Amino acid sequence: MTDSIITSETITTADLAGRYKSTAGTQEGVDKALIAEVMEQINRDGYIILENLFAPEDMDALKADALTRFKHKAGRNNFEGLATQRLYSMMAETDIANPMVEHPLIMGLLDQIFEPNYLLSQLQVINIHPNEAAQPLHYDDGFYPWPRPRRALGAATIIAVDDFTEDNGATVLIPQSHNWGDHMPSDEDKAKLIKAVMPKGSVLFFLGTLWHGGGANESQASRMCLTAQYCAPFCRTQENFSLSIPKERVKTFSETIQRLLGYSIHPPFMGMVEGKHPKRVLLE
Ligand SMILES: O=C(O)CCC(=O)C(=O)O
């Protein structure tokens, strides 16, 4: 039981959990000056490329692992990609991507963008094969039907598992489109598209309001990425991880990953189970 006195002023911020207090922000810290510098670019342009954040060998290991797990040869429509493989729910089978999902710099940026206890909204490996057409341009948090311009309710990483080149399907994006109102990209806007060309192990980090899409793959080789999308703690996640990742596996994950998967509370009680903290269901 908590002995906090709840008032009209504190009802949306009070941490009512008695046993499992919020662990938001307890991950390894990152230099504040670096976070401020990166955030300045994200706020201005809607994105940043963090070159070589991960070791190429870790990318090779992730690729070898993912290639054994794809269940389908291609997507079901031109958004998933008719020459693109997607691996969903990988945490149900392997934790090879966990260090990338919870990297301290990524968490440090998300701490600046969202309220505490933000969530992992989806996690995918995307393998774009030769001859794939460009994906329709979109912004990732567009399914939250709130008028633009507005704050980002989502943010994403696209981690280059292969080198992203001029012709192999590097993600394309429109700088500063995170500030747009509710209009579709015009031909003039599309002329400003840039390609996220980057060496493997690099990360494209962008706000959920930034217009972007997978690029056309005009090369002879496939282009793989790992992408994690995160959302504000009061938004519905794209994947329902409580159903897709067995509790026995979640128990083995770090505190940060558990929190990202929804074993956390957005004050005062969003995410509760039978009025209790979800960790009680996970751990007791
Ligand atoms: O694969 C990419 O480069 C981008 C994919 C994407 O934006 C998506 O599937 O929502």
Side-chain angles (χ1 to χ4, degrees):
M1 283 288 288
T2 174
D3 51 12
S4 316
I5 306 291
I6 299 156
T7 66
S8 303
E9 284 77 25
T10 62
I11 183 66
T12 55
T13 52
D15 187 1
L16 300 183
R19 200 165 306 182
Y20 296 104
K21 290 294 177 197
S22 171
T23 62
T26 56
Q27 75 277 353
E28 186 190 324
V30 178
D31 179 27
K32 285 195 174 71
L34 173 64
I35 296 278
E37 188 187 319
V38 173
M39 279 311 300
E40 195 179 321
Q41 186 175 329
I42 292 171
N43 288 329
R44 187 189 63 217
D45 297 335
Y47 76 98
I48 191 165
I49 291 177
L50 304 163
E51 284 215 352
N52 304 311
L53 192 63
F54 298 107
E57 308 80 65
D58 292 343
M59 297 297 101
D60 294 343
L62 190 131
K63 182 169 181 169
D65 186 279
L67 285 173
T68 66
R69 297 184 196 280
F70 285 114
K71 295 179 181 67
H72 304 285
K73 286 199 163 62
R76 293 158 290 189
N77 52 58
N78 65 320
F79 190 83
E80 277 190 322
L82 297 170
T84 294
Q85 289 177 291
R86 288 181 185 249
L87 178 62
Y88 296 95
S89 298
M90 61 192 298
M91 279 189 190
E93 297 178 11
T94 171
D95 42 16
I96 197 160
N98 291 24
M100 289 118 214
V101 172
E102 63 173 335
H103 188 279
L105 177 55
I106 306 299
M107 296 294 101
L109 298 176
L110 296 171
D111 284 345
Q112 301 296 308
I113 296 168
F114 300 129
E115 294 79 358
N117 296 296
Y118 47 81
L119 299 167
L120 184 67
S121 184
Q122 75 155 287
L123 179 66
Q124 283 183 42
V125 176
I126 304 179
N127 201 21
I128 301 185
H129 292 297
N131 298 320
E132 178 61 282
Q135 189 186 34
L137 293 174
H138 59 283
Y139 57 99
D140 283 338
D141 66 9
F143 33 68
Y144 303 125
W146 215 251
R148 294 177 57 125
R150 59 161 169 76
R151 61 165 285 191
L153 296 167
T157 55
I158 291 190
I159 302 173
V161 175
D162 291 309
D163 289 334
F164 277 26
T165 67
E166 283 291 335
D167 63 355
N168 76 350
T171 314
V172 296
L173 58 92
I174 307 179
Q176 302 186 348
S177 56
H178 64 303
N179 290 324
W180 290 3
D182 280 314
H183 74 270
M184 293 289 132
S186 62
D187 287 345
E188 200 181 321
D189 295 323
K190 287 182 192 163
K192 296 180 190 142
L193 275 170
I194 62 159
K195 293 179 183 175
V197 171
M198 53 186 177
K200 73 175 167 186
S202 304
V203 180
L204 166 65
F205 181 100
F206 57 101
L207 296 173
T209 39
L210 188 83
W211 282 87
H212 71 281
N217 189 345
E218 290 159 350
S219 77
Q220 303 303 309
S222 54
R223 182 236 73 179
M224 187 181 284
C225 78
L226 172 75
T227 174
Q229 289 190 35
Y230 307 83
C231 66
F234 46 81
C235 289
R236 183 170 188 180
T237 58
Q238 293 169 66
E239 177 150 355
N240 190 333
F241 289 117
S242 324
L243 290 176
S244 58
I245 308 177
K247 279 193 287 183
E248 290 315 311
R249 281 200 48 76
V250 178
K251 276 188 209 178
T252 67
F253 295 162
S254 72
E255 180 57 43
T256 298
I257 296 279
Q258 289 181 4
R259 191 172 69 242
L260 285 169
L261 291 176
Y263 295 87
S264 55
I265 290 282
H266 174 59
F269 35 61
M270 282 181 84
M272 55 83 171
V273 183
E274 294 184 346
K276 298 183 194 130
H277 196 289
K279 282 199 117 178
R280 294 178 68 156
V281 177
L282 182 68
L283 300 177
E284 295 172 10

